[in-house]
Amino acid sequence: HGELPLALRRSVEKLTTLSSIRLLGVLEKPLQLRALQKILSDFTPLYCSALRGTLTAIELIPRQQVLLGLMAGEFQAWYQPKFNLHDGRLFGAEGLVRWNHPQRGLLLPRDLLAAVVAYDLLDEMFKRLLDQGLELMSRLREQGFDTGLAFNLTASQLVSSDLVEHVIQRLHQYELPGAA
């Protein structure tokens, strides 16, 4: 509590009340392991009680369907714009995955990621989305619009030298800097 200004703390508490979000606690610097353990132990029963009765078995989309969807280009990058809050200018976008499934329609990440992860196809999905994003960035640059693009990756993807090499090769292919 000591480092968090009182006005900011009151604002956060008000925001959590108005949005029905429970504030579990405030961690001070330096981080104290016992304080973190207390917050997590308070959180666990809340989380479990919120889920009780709502858990259902997840039915994974069959692996062959996911592979066919990736090969057929059904996985699409959708772009969420990123704006500078000071001047309102667009400075980039975040690539988000959608699957235009031939039978199920448009699938959101919550509907498809469990299968992609279970079948160890995250890298393949990312490569498809990256190529779509770099193609878009290249077209935008030709029109004089310079913007950045971000993707969410897992920790295991960040340490994959094969994936890093793929990104480097694609950036060179599209003549885009890594900072983009």
Side-chain angles (χ1 to χ4, degrees), residues 120-131:
D120 195 25
L121 296 170
L122 272 175
D123 288 354
E124 287 305 312
M125 180 183 75
F126 169 69
K127 289 175 183 178
R128 308 270 189 250
L129 301 177
L130 177 68
D131 284 345

Side-chain angles (χ1 to χ4, degrees), residues 7-135:
L8 178 58
R9 182 172 173 80
R10 285 185 181 150
S11 296
V12 169
E13 288 172 349
K14 187 72 165 174
L15 180 64
T16 59
T17 301
L18 293 173
S19 61
S20 301
I21 297 173
R22 179 152 184 239
L23 178 63
L24 296 175
V26 175
L27 295 172
E28 296 186 30
K29 293 179 183 175
L31 178 64
Q32 300 293 318
L33 184 57
R34 287 182 193 210
L36 178 59
Q37 288 172 331
K38 168 102 174 74
I39 287 175
L40 291 175
S41 68
D42 290 346
F43 170 74
T44 303
L46 289 172
Y47 180 71
C48 291
S49 66
L51 287 179
R52 197 167 291 121
T54 63
L55 293 178
T56 58
I58 296 174
E59 180 184 333
L60 290 180
I61 298 167
R63 185 175 197 280
Q64 192 60 28
Q65 275 188 36
V66 177
L67 285 170
L68 287 173
L70 285 167
M71 301 312 253
E74 296 168 0
F75 282 72
Q76 302 169 347
W78 285 34
Y79 305 99
Q80 179 173 309
K82 294 165 53 173
F83 294 96
N84 182 319
L85 294 179
H86 294 290
D87 60 17
R89 291 185 342 164
L90 177 71
F91 70 89
E94 178 182 0
L96 306 171
V97 65
R98 301 294 185 265
W99 183 1
N100 192 8
H101 193 281
Q103 287 83 35
R104 299 178 189 210
L106 190 65
L107 299 180
L108 300 175
R110 69 171 181 247
D111 304 318
L112 64 93
L113 282 181
V116 171
V117 170
Y119 305 134
D120 195 25
L121 296 170
L122 272 175
D123 288 354
E124 287 305 312
M125 180 183 75
F126 169 69
K127 289 175 183 178
R128 308 270 189 250
L129 301 177
L130 177 68
D131 284 345
Q132 292 172 34
L134 295 177
E135 174 66 31

